[in-house]
Amino acid sequence: MLRDSARLQMEAAEHANQHGWSKHRPAKPLYDDDDVDHTITYFDPVPVGGEIEIMAGTKLMLYHGGHILGSAWAHLTRRTAAPSPSAATSAAPATRSSCRPSRSPAPTSC
């Protein structure tokens, strides 16, 4: 699907350049086949119906989506530790993680 989308992006950019309907000179696709080839190296195939641990304490299971060919829905299960008595009485407010998503293709850790 990603490669098909890239092909549509490239065709639209070519059409825009031929007919002059884009404000960009030249019009370029958002991503192309080279970007897809690079991105796919970060993918790991996951079997439908099998449970895998995607990180410590978090498991993923995929189920067939049914009505759309090749689709699936994901069920995530996260094991949490029992709260300690001191954590329940702590006065510290809950805060969001300072970790922000990165546009880098490399995985980030917080």
Side-chain angles (χ1 to χ4, degrees):
M1 183 175 268
L2 187 59
R3 191 166 307 281
D4 290 340
S5 176
R7 178 77 54 211
L8 292 173
Q9 293 280 328
M10 293 184 301
E11 289 174 4
E14 183 179 335
H15 188 271
N17 288 326
Q18 289 174 352
H19 298 282
W21 54 262
S22 175
K23 65 180 178 180
H24 303 286
R25 302 284 186 254
K28 296 180 184 178
L30 294 175
Y31 51 93
D32 59 21
D33 283 330
D34 292 335
D35 296 318
V36 171
D37 292 337
H38 178 77
T39 301
I40 287 177
T41 65
Y42 293 97
F43 288 13
D44 291 322
V46 175
V48 174
E51 186 176 74
I52 64 164
E53 189 166 28
I54 57 174
M55 61 187 292
T58 303
K59 294 184 179 184
L60 167 75
M61 182 174 249
L62 295 178
Y63 296 91
H64 288 288
H67 66 285
I68 299 175
L69 184 64
S71 68
W73 61 273
H75 179 100
L76 292 172
T77 306
R78 185 170 166 217
R79 183 185 72 234
T80 58
S84 66
S86 62
T89 59
S90 172
T95 59
R96 286 187 157 184
S97 169
S98 61
C99 182
R100 297 285 183 250
S102 169
R103 296 195 83 142
S104 167
T108 59
S109 61
C110 300

